[in-house]
Amino acid sequence: MNMNQEIKELKENELISNVSRLFKEGYRLVQISCSKSDKLQLDYSFDKEYFLLNLRLFLSLENPEVQSITDIYWSAFTYENELHDLFGIHVREINVDFKGNFYRIQEDAPFLNSDSIQHGGKE
Amino acid sequence: MASRTIIPFGPQHPVLPEPIHLDLVIEDEKVIEAVPSFGFVHRGLELLVGKKDFHQMVYIAERICGICSMIHGMGICYGIEHIMKIDVPERAKYLRVIWSEMSRIHSHLLWLGLAADAAGYESLFMHCWRIREKLLEIIEATTGGRVIFGVCKVGGTRRDIANSDIHGILITLKDIEKDYQNISKVFRDDYTINHRFSNVGFLSKKDAFELGAVGPTLRASGVSVDMRKTGYSAYRHLEFEALTENSEDCYGRCMVRVREIFQSFNLIYQAAEKLPNGPVDIKVTGNPEGEYFTRLEQPRGEVVYYIKGNGTQNLERFRARTPTFANIGPLVRMLSGCDLADVPVIVLSIDPCISCAER
Amino acid sequence: MSFLKKSPWIIHYDGSSCNGCDIEVLACLTPMYDVERFGIINIGNPKHADVLIITGAVNSQNASVIKTIYHQMGDPKVVLAVGICAASGNFFRDCYNIKGGVDTVIPVDIYVPGCAARPEAIIDGVVAVLKLLEEKTKK
């Protein structure tokens, strides 16, 4: 059943060339997600004929930075602003930069800052 | 040259059932740019994985949104089952299909009602919701809930539909379908609806694909993508086609939904006919370890869950990319250049579900 | 003030609700339940409203919006918290962005239980409001 998806690990500088190749091959941008462990794991998911290809990057927790793909996939700005607002990742050269106002929340980067998870609940 | 004005649209607006905020930059009566922003419904429930175990996360996933809750629950169950290599009993798979198609019908009827209301057609709105109530009665009788079903669990379903009840359910469903047939004619042929929706919110085939639109928004632009075709659950045993329209506007999106309701009725009939006997759940032991991207078709389009388990009770990461979130980009493109008066219709045409999008 | 007793006008605000209670509030207006036959009308203007119905929990963004709507309403007024999220925050109270139930920002008169609250329960809540409005009017 795992036939219909694949995960490909990349270095950060290979991202743009890979994404533009996928764009030319007619892949559709499905999503960009981020998961936090001891590193930040970025997944760029693309779909072509029900096959899901994931490009995976790892970023360090300190000052994470990544190049924007909005030059290639225009609508990626929603995902990239989400990365910025929830995970505190600085996305370079984004086409519509909300500068932290896409999600109107009080805390900065709540998903990165695990302390906020502990204090967030009200007993 | 006319000066530019910024009009804030929302979070409270008479046409919006939910708080979304858009800043509309307008020049005379034309919208030049629309800038969306989130946060009024943002809860941050993805972070609850640290506090709740994976069985409890199913409940939480169902409460991402009250309209598409069945498929949210099913999505997380499906992902965890895949990671844990649990083979769900066949009967449970068919039951899940039946309930997800019911939820699709009720969601689309809800949307059609709101669309009719946006077109200034209050009686049609009431008719759609009247039919929807009949369906909710079946849903309540079989699942116990009206809008939040709570029937999916890891390893199967929580409830069964007795074989003796199926016949009665099908008779009622056929009645509902007949009732709906009359309503659908209005959407198809009525001058007012046509006039209000046609050539509004144009999204070309190329744009729809490149901007990553999903669901009826994508299919109305002539791209045939429907995640049910990947054959999850029991869909691989059922016959259906992804429905597309070529008009690329709000009317097309409306028509896709109008036709999908008939398709969903048909899928329920097929599933009920093939429904195998047997248990509906199996016992689940152990904890998930591994990762998986689940993709299912919500009433609003493709939904993606990323589930990562580390061998403990708590998942390490649960991420949901909901259809409305994917449609925000295309929506911004549709809004630029439209008339101010058309904004409500265009926003409505992607069937926005803000609590899904913000989670 | 018998018109108040007979037909309260309501304003509905969606907090950070999951839509479940929202559509049930809306369902109250449609043919199956049809609260309009009692003279209950859902309106968008807080100055016209007697009853504020809130669904969903309070988060950092909508707290001020809820307060504004509440203060814009004329006396006597009643607040109805619909659903478990509005009452206590449900499990969302563990989320970082959620402050808790509606009573953390404004006084709530009546709580309607349920997840999602059923239309019957909501109508029951509105009927309880009628009595309360009458009492408040006498003061």
Side-chain angles (χ1 to χ4, degrees):
Chain A
M1 285 242 293
N2 232 340
M3 298 287 277
N4 57 2
Q5 54 180 269
E6 190 188 310
I7 296 169
K8 210 170 130 188
E9 276 190 30
L10 292 179
K11 297 231 171 48
E12 207 219 303
N13 54 11
E14 298 167 341
L15 176 70
I16 299 300
S17 57
N18 271 282
V19 172
S20 44
R21 182 173 54 81
L22 291 179
F23 182 79
K24 277 182 204 126
E25 286 173 15
Y27 277 82
R28 179 170 60 92
L29 177 68
V30 172
Q31 63 128 16
I32 303 173
S33 78
C34 181
S35 318
K36 186 202 159 196
S37 49
D38 52 339
K39 284 178 282 195
L40 287 176
Q41 169 196 320
L42 251 67
D43 290 302
Y44 292 74
S45 312
F46 299 89
D47 169 276
K48 189 181 183 182
E49 284 152 15
Y50 303 119
F51 170 75
L52 188 73
L53 179 67
N54 296 292
L55 304 180
R56 178 165 290 177
L57 290 182
F58 288 103
L59 301 177
S60 70
L61 291 179
E62 307 271 304
N63 300 323
E65 240 189 85
V66 73
Q67 179 70 30
S68 167
I69 62 163
T70 47
D71 275 352
I72 307 159
Y73 286 96
W74 182 81
S75 65
F77 73 90
T78 49
Y79 303 106
E80 292 185 343
N81 278 298
E82 187 185 54
L83 292 182
H84 176 270
D85 290 4
L86 299 185
F87 288 92
I89 298 173
H90 176 62
V91 185
R92 287 189 303 264
E93 293 167 26
I94 192 166
N95 60 355
V96 188
D97 195 345
F98 286 75
K99 299 193 170 26
N101 291 320
F102 187 57
Y103 275 88
R104 296 158 174 244
I105 45 179
Q106 277 181 334
E107 295 166 61
D108 286 338
F111 281 59
L112 183 71
N113 180 7
S114 53
D115 281 356
S116 66
I117 307 170
Q118 304 301 324
H119 304 308
K122 196 167 181 170
E123 295 303 321
Chain B
M1 194 183 131
S3 63
R4 291 192 172 184
T5 320
I6 296 178
I7 296 185
F9 183 76
Q12 274 310 91
H13 192 279
V15 299
L16 293 173
E18 285 185 89
I20 185 178
H21 185 90
L22 289 169
D23 281 322
L24 302 172
V25 181
I26 63 161
E27 207 178 275
D28 293 338
E29 282 292 299
K30 290 276 181 209
V31 177
I32 305 292
E33 198 186 3
V35 184
S37 65
F38 282 180
F40 289 92
V41 199
H42 180 64
R43 292 153 287 184
L45 59 82
E46 289 173 1
L47 283 181
L48 284 177
V49 285
K51 297 194 172 176
K52 310 280 179 189
D53 71 33
F54 68 93
H55 292 293
Q56 291 168 324
M57 279 310 286
V58 178
Y59 289 88
I60 293 173
E62 283 191 324
R63 281 156 183 80
I64 292 176
C65 166
I67 306 174
C68 6
S69 82
M70 168 69 202
I71 301 176
H72 279 306
M74 181 170 159
I76 184 168
C77 288
Y78 186 76
I80 294 173
E81 282 154 8
H82 191 273
I83 292 170
M84 296 175 75
K85 303 198 169 48
I86 296 169
D87 202 14
V88 180
E90 282 297 306
R91 189 177 175 87
K93 288 184 184 168
Y94 278 89
L95 287 176
R96 282 180 183 181
V97 167
I98 291 175
W99 279 315
S100 3
E101 290 310 318
M102 283 187 189
S103 96
R104 195 179 315 276
I105 299 174
H106 108 70
S107 170
H108 280 350
L109 278 173
L110 184 148
W111 182 85
L112 287 175
L114 293 178
D117 199 36
Y121 229 132
E122 202 175 335
S123 59
L124 191 56
F125 165 52
M126 292 296 176
H127 276 297
C128 288
W129 281 57
R130 176 180 57 81
I131 296 175
R132 183 175 160 268
E133 284 294 337
K134 291 186 189 170
L135 185 78
L136 288 188
E137 269 173 24
I138 302 180
I139 293 174
E140 191 178 359
T142 51
T143 69
R146 275 166 55 90
V147 287
I148 293 186
F149 297 8
V151 281
C152 271
K153 67 172 179 182
V154 179
T157 57
R158 196 163 274 115
R159 283 168 185 263
D160 194 0
I161 304 179
N163 282 337
S164 52
D165 291 345
I166 299 262
H167 183 64
I169 290 172
L170 289 183
I171 291 176
T172 322
L173 278 176
K174 291 217 164 99
D175 271 356
I176 300 173
E177 192 182 354
K178 206 184 278 170
D179 216 347
Y180 170 68
Q181 190 109 39
N182 292 327
I183 301 281
S184 71
K185 278 185 202 139
V186 181
F187 282 98
R188 221 180 282 261
D189 306 328
D190 187 78
Y191 173 78
T192 317
I193 299 269
N194 238 307
H195 185 71
R196 192 84 170 92
F197 290 170
S198 287
N199 298 319
V200 171
F202 187 75
L203 186 71
S204 71
K205 186 173 180 176
K206 182 167 168 287
D207 272 357
F209 191 82
E210 285 175 5
L211 299 180
V214 294
T217 314
L218 180 62
R219 291 197 285 277
S221 294
V223 185
S224 165
V225 172
D226 187 329
M227 284 305 131
R228 287 176 290 177
K229 288 306 251 183
T230 55
Y232 61 86
S233 237
Y235 284 110
R236 78 197 62 188
H237 308 299
L238 306 175
E239 280 172 30
F240 66 100
E241 282 306 317
L243 299 173
T244 56
E245 289 277 334
N246 293 316
S247 61
E248 305 178 339
D249 55 7
C250 289
Y251 187 70
R253 276 161 235 145
C254 180
M255 278 305 111
V256 166
R257 293 188 179 100
V258 165
R259 287 165 59 208
E260 274 187 0
I261 293 180
F262 288 115
Q263 182 186 46
S264 295
F265 276 116
N266 187 272
L267 281 168
I268 296 176
Y269 302 149
Q270 284 186 44
E273 199 174 292
K274 291 183 178 170
L275 187 66
N277 287 315
V280 292
D281 60 343
I282 57 167
K283 202 168 180 303
V284 176
T285 48
N287 295 317
E289 185 166 12
E291 58 182 346
Y292 190 66
F293 288 89
T294 314
R295 295 198 297 161
L296 308 181
E297 185 77 14
Q298 287 268 22
R300 290 163 180 74
E302 170 202 39
V303 61
V304 184
Y305 306 94
Y306 173 61
I307 295 161
K308 189 176 179 188
N310 52 6
T312 63
Q313 263 194 338
N314 296 337
L315 296 174
E316 192 175 316
R317 177 84 168 112
F318 168 63
R319 149 136 176 109
R321 195 283 276 137
T322 52
T324 305
F325 197 94
N327 279 334
I328 293 285
L331 174 66
V332 171
R333 178 64 62 88
M334 281 182 239
L335 284 174
S336 51
C338 77
D339 286 335
L340 184 62
D342 287 333
V343 171
V345 176
I346 296 174
V347 173
L348 199 69
S349 78
I350 66 160
D351 198 356
C353 177
I354 307 306
S355 62
C356 267
E358 304 192 7
R359 308 174 302 283
Chain C
M1 297 272 268
S2 61
F3 61 90
L4 254 186
K5 196 174 93 186
K6 280 178 188 151
S7 58
W9 285 12
I10 57 173
I11 178 168
H12 171 217
Y13 181 74
D14 170 8
S16 59
S17 151
C18 75
N19 275 345
C21 297
D22 285 343
I23 51 176
E24 294 294 53
V25 169
L26 211 49
C28 288
L29 304 170
T30 55
M32 179 81 175
Y33 298 99
D34 194 14
V35 290
E36 271 185 35
R37 70 200 147 126
F38 303 125
I40 301 170
I41 299 175
N42 186 9
I43 46 161
N45 189 337
K47 302 234 174 200
H48 297 171
D50 308 305
V51 185
L52 172 59
I53 290 188
I54 299 185
T55 51
V58 174
N59 69 14
S60 53
Q61 279 303 312
N62 62 26
S64 60
V65 181
I66 291 174
K67 268 186 209 155
T68 314
I69 295 178
Y70 182 73
H71 290 303
Q72 280 175 343
M73 288 168 66
D75 283 321
K77 56 193 167 192
V78 175
V79 178
L80 195 67
V82 171
I84 188 72
C85 294
S88 70
N90 202 355
F91 52 68
F92 295 127
R93 66 179 175 271
D94 288 337
C95 295
Y96 68 90
N97 204 31
I98 296 288
K99 287 186 163 176
V102 175
D103 46 13
T104 53
V105 282
I106 53 170
V108 175
D109 297 291
I110 288 162
Y111 298 90
V112 176
C115 179
R118 299 175 52 86
E120 287 94 336
I122 297 171
I123 294 174
D124 227 26
V126 175
V127 170
V129 160
L130 296 179
K131 218 172 154 188
L132 206 66
L133 267 178
E134 201 178 359
E135 279 168 25
K136 284 199 175 183
T137 316
K138 276 181 192 154
K139 273 179 199 167

